[in-house]
Amino acid sequence: MALLPILRFPDPRLNTVAKPVAQVDERIRRLVDDLIETMYDHDGVGLAATQVDVHERVIVMDTSDGRDQPRVLINPEIVARSVEMQVGDEGCLSVPTIYDRVERHARVTVRALDRQGQVCEFEAEGLTAVCVQHEMDHLIGRVFVEYLSPLKRDRIKSKMLKKTRDEQGRGR
Ligand code: NI
């Protein structure tokens, strides 16, 4: 397993639309394992392949309290969504230190392939529902800050560019 570098907003590669996975093979399982390791290393609850510059429809997440129940979603689809919406604070490993409120469907039913290539379907609510919708947005090239006002988004963009410059200045 390996830790993968995470793209940072506003890197334009984050706007790439991911392709469906043709076959869940060893290459995909290696990607899944690396994504899981990288997500845990950064204390994230979810990570999409897009964020590590791999543009295939793969997501990993873990919203369990014990951080010991990784979930793998390959070629995920939302097959049902609640009319009811909820607003919650979101963050993203590609937009470190930024948290803001986003409105999402309160419940979604998701169908995907797991690490073995088996079809699984489940209903998500609460944090898991937020996480699924957030990560699936990454797969269509959308970062959560795009739901915020243009003013906020520009401010975040400047902050991230400065943060990246400062880190490079320190030789990172
Ligand atoms: Ni994210």
Side-chain angles (χ1 to χ4, degrees):
M1 300 222 281
L3 293 177
L4 304 170
I6 297 176
L7 299 178
R8 181 177 289 170
F9 178 81
D11 191 312
R13 290 173 289 181
L14 286 168
N15 304 120
T16 311
V17 177
K19 290 201 266 298
V21 170
Q23 196 185 351
V24 181
D25 53 14
E26 276 315 304
R27 181 182 66 89
I28 292 296
R29 276 189 274 274
R30 199 173 318 125
L31 170 65
V32 160
D33 293 345
D34 290 346
L35 285 170
I36 290 173
E37 189 181 357
T38 305
M39 171 182 74
Y40 285 137
D41 187 65
H42 290 271
D43 291 321
V45 292
L47 188 63
T50 307
Q51 293 176 272
V52 299
D53 202 23
V54 175
H55 303 288
E56 294 180 77
R57 294 182 59 81
V58 178
I59 287 168
V60 300
M61 46 193 275
D62 188 346
T63 52
S64 69
D65 290 337
R67 314 274 301 140
D68 54 359
Q69 290 166 48
R71 209 193 270 273
V72 175
L73 304 181
I74 298 168
N75 295 343
E77 284 173 80
I78 292 182
V79 294
R81 19 173 92 70
S82 64
V83 174
E84 189 195 336
M85 305 295 280
Q86 66 181 0
V87 176
D89 260 341
E90 291 187 26
C92 179
L93 295 179
S94 292
V95 199
T97 73
I98 303 294
Y99 298 88
D100 215 320
R101 293 159 72 75
V102 177
E103 187 178 54
R104 303 280 187 184
H105 295 279
R107 287 175 305 285
V108 290
T109 305
V110 188
R111 187 184 298 151
L113 301 177
D114 64 15
R115 195 179 176 284
Q116 312 308 326
Q118 303 292 317
V119 178
C120 59
E121 191 174 308
F122 62 97
E123 190 178 315
E125 58 178 8
L127 176 61
T128 308
V130 170
C131 191
V132 165
Q133 293 169 85
H134 175 118
E135 300 310 330
M136 284 185 66
D137 271 354
H138 278 301
L139 300 180
I140 56 168
R142 187 178 294 157
V143 180
F144 85 99
V145 296
E146 287 167 38
Y147 292 106
L148 309 178
S149 69
L151 179 68
K152 267 190 182 172
R153 194 166 55 237
D154 285 347
R155 211 178 283 153
I156 293 168
K157 201 178 280 183
S158 309
K159 194 172 170 181
M160 289 299 116
L161 290 169
K162 180 175 187 305
K163 190 174 163 66
T164 302
R165 267 197 314 273
D166 289 352
E167 285 171 6
Q168 283 163 353
R170 288 201 308 268
R172 281 186 55 183

